[in-house]
Amino acid sequence: MRKTRARGKRSITVSSGRFAADAFSPFPAWSARTTLTILAGLPGCLEDHRWRLNWKPLFDKQKDASPSIGALAVSESDPNVIYVGTGEACIRGNIVGGNGVYKSIDAGKTWKFVGLPDTHAIGRLIVNPKNPDIAFVAALGHPFGDNEERGVFRTRDGGKTWEKVLYKDAKTGAIDITFDPSNANILFAALWQARRTPWSMDSGGAGSGLYRSADGGTTWKEIKAHGLPETVLGPHRRNRFRSESESSMGGRGSGKGRHLPLR
């Protein structure tokens, strides 16, 4: 578990033994003298307002929701708005699948199911920094088989409807997505072709790739060449990309494809 804090900010931490991510936002919804921390993973979501002295569950009583949390994001422009994507995307042989996206508009007190029930595993969820109704989901899809509800999805009405804005095929899902910090109309997304069985992992394939959108996620162009390697493309930080091959990392799964985290 990890707790993070930024001065004058509200801190959201997603963490478990299999997944970790952070999101920050201004926090007028809470006292400026406290930091909210949310821990999420296979047990669900927990929150703390008092420096890890008191924890309470946020999501365990949500009817029919998967207990496995893959991603969550808090709106910077309205910190009462939180989106949660169920289903961990670290696809081990014993993972628990998700059943879509949930949303809270009261800082986690209550939740509402807002769609994408067949995404199974969600690698990342981001919210437009100026508009809490615009959010993107990077859905990996079913880890053990083909399915169509995978790729990058966008909502522009707070989760009432979703558009599939980036899709490769039924074998390839989206593992990560991020905004350009200087321009939210520019996004980068990573697609990952992967298949899990109870006894093996086939990581990478022709469907994997790195994509860029310059119009708010409506259209996407794959990024190739310009010095990028033919294998793994790695973490994205601000305007830089670092890349390394699966073989250079000691091999992941079959070691024959590309895994593209943008963190």
Side-chain angles (χ1 to χ4, degrees):
M1 284 188 291
R2 183 169 84 223
K3 178 174 181 292
T4 59
R5 182 172 182 261
R7 185 171 182 176
K9 299 280 186 176
R10 168 187 164 206
S11 166
I12 298 287
T13 301
V14 186
S15 180
S16 74
R18 303 178 186 174
F19 182 89
D22 305 287
F24 297 91
S25 74
F27 61 106
W30 287 276
S31 164
R33 300 181 66 86
T34 65
T35 297
L36 173 74
T37 303
I38 294 181
L39 303 178
L42 186 56
C45 296
L46 302 172
E47 71 166 347
D48 170 51
H49 290 268
R50 308 182 92 181
W51 309 104
R52 292 187 286 186
L53 296 176
N54 297 286
W55 293 93
K56 70 175 184 178
L58 283 178
F59 205 70
D60 65 328
K61 295 183 179 179
Q62 182 61 35
K63 185 179 180 181
D64 299 325
S66 170
S68 173
I69 307 300
L72 85 162
V74 59
S75 166
E76 292 185 25
S77 57
D78 183 357
N80 287 302
V81 176
I82 306 172
Y83 292 84
V84 163
T86 60
E88 55 187 322
C90 180
I91 52 174
R92 298 161 59 101
N94 59 347
I95 62 170
V96 175
N99 63 343
V101 179
Y102 292 78
K103 179 186 177 184
S104 173
I105 59 173
D106 53 12
K109 293 185 178 76
T110 61
W111 298 87
K112 181 181 179 181
F113 175 72
V114 292
L116 305 181
D118 202 34
T119 48
H120 289 275
I122 292 177
R124 181 73 73 175
L125 204 162
I126 58 174
V127 183
N128 185 286
K130 295 182 179 180
N131 188 341
D133 287 335
I134 300 176
F136 292 82
V137 168
L140 185 59
H142 201 312
F144 293 89
D146 297 356
N147 78 314
E148 295 294 326
E149 198 160 282
R150 57 172 71 210
V152 174
F153 294 84
R154 177 182 64 185
T155 181
R156 293 189 282 190
D157 54 15
K160 294 176 182 176
T161 60
W162 294 89
E163 309 165 80
K164 187 191 291 184
V165 292
L166 177 59
Y167 175 78
K168 186 73 173 182
D169 55 46
K171 301 179 184 296
T172 305
I175 188 63
D176 214 342
I177 186 168
T178 188
F179 293 112
D180 182 321
S182 63
N183 184 350
N185 283 318
I186 298 176
L187 299 97
F188 294 88
L191 299 188
W192 183 27
Q193 182 178 324
R195 174 66 60 86
R196 184 81 226 188
T197 71
W199 56 86
S200 68
M201 170 74 171
D202 186 6
S203 172
S208 303
L210 179 65
Y211 290 77
R212 180 180 184 269
S213 173
D215 56 9
T218 299
T219 60
W220 296 82
K221 182 178 180 180
E222 186 172 7
I223 301 173
K224 295 181 177 180
H226 304 292
L228 293 175
E230 294 297 323
T231 54
V232 177
L233 303 179
H236 163 261
R237 297 195 184 281
R238 297 189 180 275
N239 295 320
R240 296 190 206 171
F241 291 90
R242 179 172 62 83
S243 61
E244 51 190 7
S245 69
E246 288 200 3
S247 58
S248 72
M249 295 188 292
R252 287 186 181 177
S254 65
K256 65 183 181 182
R258 297 179 288 173
H259 178 207
L260 306 168
L262 297 179
R263 296 190 257 289

